[in-house]
Amino acid sequence: MSKTYAEQLQKAQLLIAGLKKNLKLVKTRGISLEQIERLERAATQAAEMNREVEALREEVSLKAGAANKKLTEVKNDMQNCKTIVKRCFDQERWIDFGVMDKR
C-alpha cells in the first residue's frame, strides 16, 4: 500500500471513529449514522481492494521477471542459431533461414 493511500485510509478511520463518538452532536449538523456507516463500508472496501491490487502487483512482478528471463533465453538461442547459419552458408542464403542480417 502506498504511503498516501494508507494515510487516507487511516484518516478515514479516525474520522469515522470521531463521528460515531460524537453522533449526537453531528446529527444536528446533517451527518447521519447511515452516512457514517456508508463511509465506513467504503473505507473497508478500499482497503480490501488495495490488498488485492498489491497481490496482483506482486504477481505481475514475478511474471514479468520470468518473462524477461525467458526472452533472454530466446535471444541467446536465436543468436546461436544465426551464428551457425552465418558460418555454414553464404550471405545470399541467410534470408532463406530467416536471418535478415546484412553481415
Side-chain angles (χ1 to χ4, degrees):
M1 179 181 302
S2 73
K3 185 177 177 183
T4 304
Y5 203 92
E7 287 175 358
Q8 279 301 129
L9 289 177
Q10 184 179 18
K11 287 177 184 179
Q13 292 301 326
L14 288 171
L15 179 64
I16 292 164
L19 292 172
K20 280 184 172 181
K21 185 177 174 181
N22 296 291
L23 182 59
K24 288 181 183 177
L25 295 173
V26 296
K27 216 176 203 181
T28 61
R29 303 289 185 209
I31 298 176
S32 67
L33 180 59
E34 292 79 27
Q35 283 178 295
I36 298 169
E37 289 172 345
R38 189 172 57 237
L39 175 59
E40 188 171 25
R41 282 191 305 273
T44 301
Q45 288 173 340
E48 177 58 33
M49 289 175 163
N50 189 64
R51 280 190 286 279
E52 291 174 15
V53 166
E54 291 300 322
L56 290 170
R57 279 188 183 135
E58 180 64 26
E59 185 179 340
V60 166
S61 178
L62 293 173
K63 286 278 187 186
N68 288 338
K69 283 182 180 179
K70 189 55 74 175
L71 183 59
T72 299
E73 183 181 320
V74 167
K75 287 170 141 181
N76 289 337
D77 288 347
M78 283 176 51
Q79 188 59 42
N80 291 337
C81 291
K82 286 169 71 172
T83 300
I84 291 170
V85 167
K86 287 179 177 183
R87 285 185 188 158
C88 297
F89 298 95
D90 291 332
Q91 186 174 356
E92 296 81 30
R93 299 259 347 259
W94 292 357
I95 197 163
D96 296 340
F97 297 95
V99 177
M100 306 304 283
D101 300 356
K102 302 280 183 189
R103 304 163 126 205

